[in-house]
Amino acid sequence: MTVILLRHGRSSSNTAGILAGRSEGVDLDDKGREQAAGLIDRLGDLSIRAVVTSPMLRCRRTVEPLADALCLEPVIEERLSEVDYGEWTGRKIGDLVKEPMWRVVQAHPSAAVFPGGEGLAQVQARAVAAVRDHDRRLGEEHGGDVLWLACTHGDVIKAVIADALGTHLDSFQRISPDPGSVSVIRYTPLRPFVLHVNHTGARLSAGLRAAPPAKPAAEDDAQKQPDGEVPTGDAVVGGSPD
């Protein structure tokens, strides 16, 4: 199961230096609309089976052109919504850097709870659960490996990638997804593989081939793995040959 984590296109709050959070009506700016339209060329030739999105307007606007091109109806997922920044919502980033909590968010985000809002550890728990649940649902619906897209927000993407990398949430500030970027995680029964982070290039294709069809239960045995084939959940020693 492979998920493309798409950060929404650039918004009016991004350019204004404001922490939008869950403010209503925050839309894409001109560049953000260009990024949304450009997704058709970047991702439209991939066999994406589902589009899931945060309920925030900027995310819904971002996936609209691609979903229309793929003839898919976006699924709204509340657990992929923006962080509830509480009292920080709508404030200038330049003012927030003076707050004592800012240093906690930078150095020890697993302990950060926004005043009147939620903690980043809560964000990671809900977002990872959402991705895993949709993975499971789509696998059951389609009977095998599925490529799907989830449009969400910067801090949410960072939290999901940190989980996939097996790194502590306190390291998630080392991950930087730009507006309109895609990051890709393939989930296997053994472990996740992070295939792309902050991809902003023209086309996304490398490493996105479907996994081999599942074997019948009687043959799905590590002892019967065909000669020369690496189990899908195993990492290749020395690195991938492709």
Side-chain angles (χ1 to χ4, degrees), residues 91-112:
R91 294 181 59 190
K92 287 274 191 180
I93 299 293
D95 293 335
L96 292 173
V97 299
K98 305 168 188 174
E99 296 284 347
M101 177 61 69
W102 182 268
R103 296 312 308 163
V104 179
V105 173
Q106 298 302 311
H108 194 25
S110 64

Side-chain angles (χ1 to χ4, degrees), residues 221-239:
D221 185 336
Q223 298 301 318
K224 298 180 181 179
Q225 186 74 25
D227 290 343
E229 288 192 17
V230 178
T232 57
D234 288 359
V236 178
V237 177

Side-chain angles (χ1 to χ4, degrees), residues 171-222:
S171 297
F172 100 141
Q173 297 292 22
R174 302 182 183 198
I175 302 164
S176 181
D178 295 328
S181 69
V182 293
S183 301
V184 183
I185 304 171
R186 183 188 296 281
Y187 289 90
T188 76
L190 182 61
R191 63 166 68 85
F193 291 93
V194 178
L195 306 182
H196 292 285
V197 175
N198 198 34
H199 185 285
T200 57
R203 286 183 177 271
L204 180 71
S205 58
L208 294 188
R209 296 168 298 176
K215 297 183 179 66
E219 299 178 14
D220 194 11
D221 185 336

Side-chain angles (χ1 to χ4, degrees), residues 16 22 29 41 88 99 102 108 122 130 135 156 166 173 175 187 202 241:
R22 296 186 178 181
D29 66 6
D41 287 335
W88 281 26
E99 296 284 347
W102 182 268
H108 194 25
Q122 293 173 272
D135 255 5
V156 178
Q173 297 292 22
I175 302 164
Y187 289 90

Side-chain angles (χ1 to χ4, degrees), residues 8-188:
H8 61 79
R10 196 175 75 177
S11 73
S12 54
S13 288
N14 292 145
T15 50
I18 292 173
L19 186 64
R22 296 186 178 181
S23 301
E24 295 292 334
V26 177
D27 207 342
L28 303 179
D29 66 6
D30 289 342
K31 181 175 181 179
R33 285 187 283 272
E34 290 177 4
Q35 290 170 329
L39 291 173
I40 297 174
D41 287 335
R42 292 176 65 198
L43 308 178
D45 61 341
L46 298 174
S47 56
I48 296 171
R49 295 296 189 92
V51 174
V52 181
T53 181
S54 156
M56 306 309 300
L57 178 63
R58 53 197 183 274
C59 286
R60 289 187 281 115
R61 289 275 198 254
T62 299
V63 299
E64 280 175 0
L66 179 63
D68 286 346
L70 296 174
C71 298
L72 295 172
E73 181 67 28
V75 175
I76 302 298
E77 173 55 77
E78 295 288 342
R79 292 174 295 177
L80 293 179
S81 189
E82 177 63 287
V83 179
D84 182 355
Y85 292 110
E87 295 171 15
W88 281 26
T89 302
R91 294 181 59 190
K92 287 274 191 180
I93 299 293
D95 293 335
L96 292 173
V97 299
K98 305 168 188 174
E99 296 284 347
M101 177 61 69
W102 182 268
R103 296 312 308 163
V104 179
V105 173
Q106 298 302 311
H108 194 25
S110 64
V113 179
F114 295 98
E118 65 181 331
L120 288 171
Q122 293 173 272
V123 174
Q124 184 179 56
R126 65 168 165 84
V128 170
V131 170
R132 295 283 192 169
D133 287 349
H134 284 285
D135 255 5
R136 188 178 307 108
R137 172 181 66 83
L138 292 167
E140 291 172 354
E141 287 180 6
H142 297 279
D145 188 48
V146 173
L147 176 64
W148 62 285
L149 180 142
C151 183
T152 182
H153 308 268
D155 281 346
V156 178
I157 291 172
K158 288 156 63 175
V160 174
I161 293 173
D163 172 80
L165 289 171
T167 189
H168 198 280
L169 184 58
D170 286 347
S171 297
F172 100 141
Q173 297 292 22
R174 302 182 183 198
I175 302 164
S176 181
D178 295 328
S181 69
V182 293
S183 301
V184 183
I185 304 171
R186 183 188 296 281
Y187 289 90
T188 76

